[in-house]
Amino acid sequence: MMVSTMEPENVLVFGSMPKTQMIQSSHLVCSNFSRLTNASVFYSSSPLTLMLPLLLLQLSLGSAAILVTFYLLRHCGLPLMLAQVLGGMLLGPSLLCRITGLLNMIFPIRSFLLMDVVSTMGFMFYFFLVGVQTDIWLLKKITKKSFAIGFFSVAVPMILTLGMSLLWMQFNVNPNEKKKVDRLPEIAKAESLVSFQIISYYLSELRVINSEIGRVALCSSMVSTLCSTCVVTSNILWNQSKDDLSRFFQSICYGIIFAALVCCILGPLLLWEMKHTLGGQPLKQGNLVVLLIAVLMSGFWGHSFGLNIYFGPLLFGLIIPSGPPPGSALVEKLDVITNWVLTPLFFVKFGLAVDIFAPSLKTYFKVQFFALLGAFGKFLGASLCALSCQMPQRDAIVLGFFMTFQGVIELDLFRLMKRKQIIGDEAFSAMCLTAVIGSGAVALVVPCFYDPSKRYEGYYGRTLAHSRHNSDLRVLVCIHEEQNVPSAINVLATLKPTNQSPIAVYMLHMVELMGSATPLLMRQKRPKKLSTRTRGSAPIIDAFKILEENHDGLVSVSPFISVSPPQTMHEDVFQIALEKGTSLVIIPFYKKFHVGGAAYLSKRSLKIANQNVLDQAPCSVAILVDRGTLKTLHAIWAGWSSSEVAVIFLGGADDQEALALAAKMTGCQNINLTLIRIIYDGDFPDKYMEGIRNDNESLGQFQTNIFGNTCAKYWEEVAKDGAGTASVLRTLENQYDIIVVGRRHYDTFPLLSGLTESNQNKELGVIGDMSASSDFLGNTTILVVQQHTDNSHSE
């Protein structure tokens, strides 16, 4: 038999339950631990009478409820965080536990001891991941504009809500109201706070975290969070000290001492040990175990110092560098077990204390009024300050909406206020319901006001085919990993730079964001000063710098590094393409192929980035399919060896763009270029006539340019259908190092009949997919070109 202390919200939920044995102290409950397991229905014994089977059922129900809610909400564009909160509420007295007897059967009062332990551990690791994903170096990027926006996003709602709460209390002379536990100034403060982690989470879910307004919102929310932390911490410590000034400063001293121990001793010691044992390599299992033990110990020592048990893990997470190797490995290992196994029990326990039918209309409208006033204050403070900083009106309005988001951290603050009896049960349920409805509504409204892709709609005509003759060629080359570098540089080596037409290469190393809530886009000039998040970019930058050195000033290389989620990687690509005026973006295909044509490596996360670039890019795009590298790079640069390049031309805007790219290769003496046109043996329908005329003009111009050039050839092949086209492609067996093709062709084109159905990789088009997955082209590199046209966004 064990006697354990119950939290006040647990008593409020179960105090009025029938058939519940409560002892004289309303905060104590007796639990029998003599039998944890060994119950079976075959022995007329219910497993629900024992602690462990009951805990497993509660864990399963929590995860299942959140999973079902998430799948229902994601079609509306609502994020996982709202599904977690709603899933927990649906299991509580707001819905499921309103069924008679179900609450007592699945969530009996005797099970709350284990629920408290498991949910608290889960939320400890949740706060630890919050700290790991928070990049404290973002403080260095705070400008005067972001500081002002962040400060007034807290100051304005604080003034409005506190002033209104004091007026409300001044004119409310009802003695029954004054006896209530709800403290309006405390509610006003809670509704005025802003959380950086919640803002960054919603920005990532809405896929605007890489946009300009997203970066402003991140920096501003960091300032708001610092202000909010000062308010919350001082308020909590003052309440704990019971208006005793000496105890208040004593608690502050304890917190400072504990923070110093973690930041100056524990953290640096562990990081020094990892730095010397890893040396930049991925996190090992032993190091991971040591970090997890340190998380538990930080919670233990924080609680021993009289601080909140979540403060230690949060602080310890903040001192761990975000991104690889430690940050990304920790997030990868802990994310699923924390968010889908341990944390759901916290939301279940949270939902059991929320009854949306409990608040009276008067209480609900009172809380709703202050919540709306706080949200309006945040919106007003952020948007007006942004307008005064010359931000566009629409962006300022959207930024104001961003600063009103609330999430798990605010809900946990409400729970803490309820446990400290600062607010009552009705006010707590009303505040939680208002926060969920408000954040969900804003998440649905923001996409209607702000679409980042619309800023690229006015940039049409950025193509190679429409560029001026002898103008400089500006190319943005995207690299996912080191294996993409040889093929990318081989393609660049086939382009002939001259004094009249130099080549400007903008290299973007795209790193998937893991272990950090803050994206990064930076121009890297000095590889020796790379941070832990971008250290893997050094070899890639060095390779492109060698390309620059081998061309005697005719090729300039500007390296960039982007660390962002796959869903928003394209934003960084478009930003550089627009700022630098590039005519072509080269992106690696997300699959790698054997020489025989079978795919042996596939990164599905990068498929999202590739598709977004194809759909919305403000210039032409070329997908680089890597099937191996034939010659060494130095041999091609120095002219020791020639490279064979073929262009397959069927017709259409994309084939014309491929032809324009091929024209850039004709001036290189060690590049043998062959243009192969496949002609339809039949009569074209009238709808193709205009396109055919454009094709003939492009081909005529190309033939004029290569006249007298012994390194360029042109021949024609005739085909009746898709089978004939496939036969022509088979004649290219092991003859070429690089094959350039167009991605899209005419609708219902006879030359592609019978081939469209077998197209497995839609990003490459029919001819590109056949070439990439063929077993007869050896290790030929395939370049699939898409011309930017007015209807590119709809493809």
Side-chain angles (χ1 to χ4, degrees):
M1 185 76 67
M2 175 175 289
V3 180
S4 60
T5 302
M6 292 274 304
E7 292 185 354
E9 67 260 31
N10 300 341
V11 180
L12 288 173
V13 173
F14 295 98
S16 59
M17 284 177 49
K19 301 180 183 179
T20 302
Q21 298 297 324
M22 301 288 292
I23 62 178
Q24 292 182 354
S25 174
S26 62
H27 289 256
L28 298 178
V29 61
C30 297
S31 301
N32 189 353
F33 281 81
S34 60
R35 293 172 61 201
L36 291 176
T37 57
N38 298 328
S40 172
V41 293
F42 299 104
Y43 294 98
S44 301
S45 177
S46 174
L48 298 182
T49 60
L50 301 178
M51 303 293 289
L52 186 56
L54 186 59
L55 177 65
L56 296 178
L57 177 63
Q58 293 166 349
L59 287 169
S60 302
L61 283 176
S63 299
I66 292 174
L67 183 62
V68 172
T69 309
F70 173 65
Y71 277 110
L72 293 176
L73 294 182
R74 71 172 182 172
H75 297 291
C76 302
L78 297 178
L80 172 62
M81 185 177 295
L82 288 177
Q84 290 174 321
V85 178
L86 287 176
M89 293 173 63
L90 293 178
L91 288 179
S94 299
L95 183 66
L96 190 63
C97 284
R98 297 191 74 84
I99 301 175
T100 305
L102 192 62
L103 179 65
N104 221 351
M105 181 178 65
I106 301 179
F107 302 105
I109 195 168
R110 54 185 169 80
S111 68
F112 262 63
L113 177 62
L114 284 183
M115 285 185 66
D116 283 340
V117 173
V118 176
S119 63
T120 300
M121 286 190 60
F123 221 53
M124 280 176 58
F125 282 105
Y126 177 84
F127 269 95
F128 172 67
L129 290 180
V130 166
V132 170
Q133 293 177 298
T134 302
D135 186 9
I136 59 176
W137 298 110
L138 187 66
L139 294 171
K140 298 174 62 177
K141 300 180 181 179
I142 294 176
T143 61
K144 292 181 179 180
K145 179 176 73 173
S146 57
F147 180 85
I149 295 173
F151 175 77
F152 286 106
S153 296
V154 175
V156 173
M158 193 76 70
I159 294 172
L160 289 178
T161 54
L162 280 177
M164 184 57 66
S165 66
L166 294 176
L167 286 176
W168 190 299
M169 295 172 64
Q170 182 70 27
F171 290 100
N172 188 2
V173 295
N174 189 347
N176 294 326
E177 290 288 333
K178 291 186 176 181
K179 292 180 180 179
K180 285 190 175 182
V181 73
D182 301 339
R183 302 181 188 175
L184 292 181
E186 304 300 331
I187 295 178
K189 293 177 186 176
E191 295 292 351
S192 304
L193 304 180
V194 177
S195 171
F196 165 79
Q197 186 63 28
I198 301 301
I199 301 297
S200 64
Y201 174 83
Y202 277 99
L203 291 175
S204 180
E205 289 292 324
L206 294 173
R207 301 183 181 181
V208 295
I209 196 169
N210 284 45
S211 62
E212 182 180 356
I213 187 174
R215 292 187 172 92
V216 174
L218 280 177
C219 293
S220 302
S221 63
M222 179 67 79
V223 176
S224 300
T225 301
L226 292 176
C227 298
S228 301
T229 302
C230 295
V231 174
V232 172
T233 303
S234 59
N235 197 43
I236 291 176
L237 294 179
W238 181 255
N239 288 326
Q240 286 180 349
S241 63
K242 299 180 180 179
D243 299 338
D244 188 342
L245 191 60
S246 61
R247 290 185 60 184
F248 173 73
F249 284 107
Q250 186 179 15
S251 300
I252 293 179
C253 291
Y254 285 156
I256 294 175
I257 293 173
F258 175 74
L261 289 175
V262 173
C263 297
C264 300
I265 298 179
L266 177 63
L269 185 63
L270 290 174
L271 295 178
W272 177 85
E273 187 268 340
M274 283 192 298
K275 182 178 180 180
H276 284 75
T277 56
L278 295 178
Q281 299 301 316
L283 199 66
K284 298 179 181 178
Q285 185 174 1
N287 301 108
L288 181 62
V289 173
V290 171
L291 287 175
L292 296 183
I293 294 174
V295 174
L296 299 176
M297 292 304 299
S298 64
F300 169 76
W301 286 111
H303 201 59
S304 302
F305 273 78
L307 305 173
N308 192 289
I309 197 169
Y310 305 134
F311 179 71
L314 175 64
L315 187 62
F316 181 59
L318 287 173
I319 64 176
I320 294 180
S322 58
S328 57
L330 287 169
V331 172
E332 183 180 1
K333 299 291 184 184
L334 295 177
D335 184 67
V336 174
I337 191 69
T338 299
N339 286 323
W340 289 103
V341 179
L342 297 177
T343 306
L345 197 59
F346 172 85
F347 289 105
V348 169
K349 185 169 171 289
F350 167 82
L352 290 173
V354 178
D355 185 358
I356 61 174
F357 302 102
S360 63
L361 287 178
K362 185 174 184 180
T363 301
Y364 177 77
F365 284 119
K366 180 173 64 174
V367 173
Q368 181 77 11
F369 172 75
F370 281 97
L372 291 176
L373 187 62
F376 176 73
K378 297 174 188 177
F379 175 84
L380 195 66
S383 56
L384 290 182
C385 191
L387 287 173
S388 66
C389 296
Q390 308 304 317
M391 182 177 286
Q393 183 178 359
R394 181 176 291 269
D395 290 356
I397 293 174
V398 173
L399 179 61
F401 278 125
F402 286 157
M403 303 304 286
T404 64
F405 280 122
Q406 291 181 314
V408 177
I409 295 178
E410 286 82 2
L411 295 178
D412 189 58
L413 175 63
F414 300 161
R415 188 180 69 93
L416 179 63
M417 295 170 63
K418 178 172 175 283
R419 190 174 63 190
K420 299 295 183 182
Q421 298 184 354
I422 298 174
I423 59 175
D425 186 46
E426 292 187 11
F428 171 72
S429 297
M431 291 172 71
C432 294
L433 182 61
T434 302
V436 172
I437 294 176
S439 296
V442 173
L444 293 175
V445 168
V446 165
C448 301
F449 277 86
Y450 183 72
D451 183 4
S453 63
K454 290 185 178 180
R455 60 178 175 152
Y456 313 122
E457 291 180 351
Y459 295 87
Y460 297 125
R462 304 285 293 279
T463 66
L464 295 171
H466 298 91
S467 61
R468 292 177 298 176
H469 184 64
N470 283 335
S471 61
D472 61 330
L473 175 61
R474 301 184 180 187
V475 182
L476 173 58
V477 182
C478 302
I479 302 294
H480 293 314
E481 54 189 2
E482 289 186 40
Q483 288 80 357
N484 303 141
V485 174
S487 296
I489 294 184
N490 265 352
V491 170
L492 293 175
T494 62
L495 305 175
K496 178 62 177 177
T498 62
N499 290 325
Q500 294 77 24
S501 180
I503 299 177
V505 178
Y506 303 97
M507 190 282 296
L508 177 63
H509 183 203
M510 304 168 69
V511 182
E512 184 175 354
L513 179 64
M514 291 185 65
S516 175
T518 309
L520 173 69
L521 176 62
M522 57 181 296
R523 178 170 181 175
Q524 190 60 50
K525 297 181 179 180
R526 301 176 181 177
K528 293 182 180 180
K529 292 188 177 181
L530 292 174
S531 64
T532 56
R533 298 172 65 183
T534 58
R535 192 171 294 161
S537 303
I540 298 174
I541 296 176
D542 291 341
F544 277 86
K545 285 298 183 181
I546 295 174
L547 169 68
E548 181 180 40
E549 294 170 359
N550 278 272
H551 282 84
D552 300 326
L554 297 180
V555 175
S556 62
V557 175
S558 301
F560 292 83
I561 301 174
S562 168
V563 183
S564 58
Q567 294 84 354
T568 57
M569 279 183 176
H570 61 284
E571 291 287 342
D572 292 334
V573 176
F574 299 162
Q575 181 177 339
I576 297 175
L578 291 175
E579 290 181 356
K580 305 302 179 182
T582 61
S583 299
L584 182 67
V585 174
I586 300 177
I587 55 175
F589 192 47
Y590 71 97
K591 289 183 180 179
K592 293 187 181 298
F593 294 90
H594 284 295
V595 173
Y600 70 92
L601 183 61
S602 177
K603 290 190 174 182
R604 291 289 176 181
S605 60
L606 300 179
K607 180 181 179 179
I608 301 173
N610 286 9
Q611 191 61 55
N612 288 333
V613 172
L614 286 171
D615 292 342
Q616 306 174 33
C619 61
S620 296
V621 181
I623 301 178
L624 182 62
V625 183
D626 186 10
R627 290 170 54 102
T629 306
L630 283 176
K631 300 179 177 65
T632 63
L633 306 179
H634 189 66
I636 296 179
W637 294 338
W640 299 343
S641 177
S642 62
S643 183
E644 302 291 332
V645 180
V647 182
I648 311 298
F649 191 96
L650 277 74
D654 290 353
D655 280 8
Q656 295 169 24
E657 190 71 3
L659 195 63
L661 178 61
K664 301 290 184 179
M665 305 176 181
T666 56
C668 191
Q669 295 181 352
N670 58 327
I671 300 297
N672 296 320
L673 178 67
T674 302
L675 173 60
I676 305 170
R677 184 186 186 186
I678 303 178
I679 302 176
Y680 174 56
D681 186 11
D683 296 329
F684 279 107
D686 293 339
K687 64 179 181 179
Y688 295 140
M689 290 299 104
E690 183 178 354
I692 297 299
R693 284 195 295 269
N694 294 332
D695 293 340
N696 291 332
E697 290 179 5
S698 299
L699 288 167
Q701 183 64 39
F702 181 80
Q703 288 177 305
T704 302
N705 293 337
I706 67 172
F707 181 76
N709 189 343
T710 58
C711 296
K713 305 175 184 177
Y714 170 77
W715 80 61
E716 297 177 347
E717 296 284 351
V718 179
K720 294 183 178 181
D721 50 21
T725 302
S727 299
V728 173
L729 293 178
R730 284 192 170 274
T731 62
L732 309 180
E733 181 175 0
N734 292 327
Q735 295 185 35
Y736 299 97
D737 302 322
I738 300 174
I739 293 181
V740 185
V741 301
R743 176 174 176 255
R744 301 163 298 187
H745 301 88
Y746 300 118
D747 295 334
T748 63
F749 200 33
L751 290 174
L752 301 178
S753 60
L755 300 179
T756 307
E757 293 77 7
S758 60
N759 185 8
Q760 297 180 352
N761 301 297
K762 303 297 182 182
E763 303 92 336
L764 302 179
V766 177
I767 302 300
D769 179 55
M770 285 187 60
S771 303
S773 57
S774 65
D775 58 355
F776 54 84
L777 289 180
N779 55 356
T780 302
T781 297
I782 312 297
L783 197 63
V784 182
V785 181
Q786 172 184 286
Q787 185 183 71
H788 178 77
T789 56
D790 290 357
N791 61 346
S792 293
H793 297 282
S794 61
E795 289 293 334

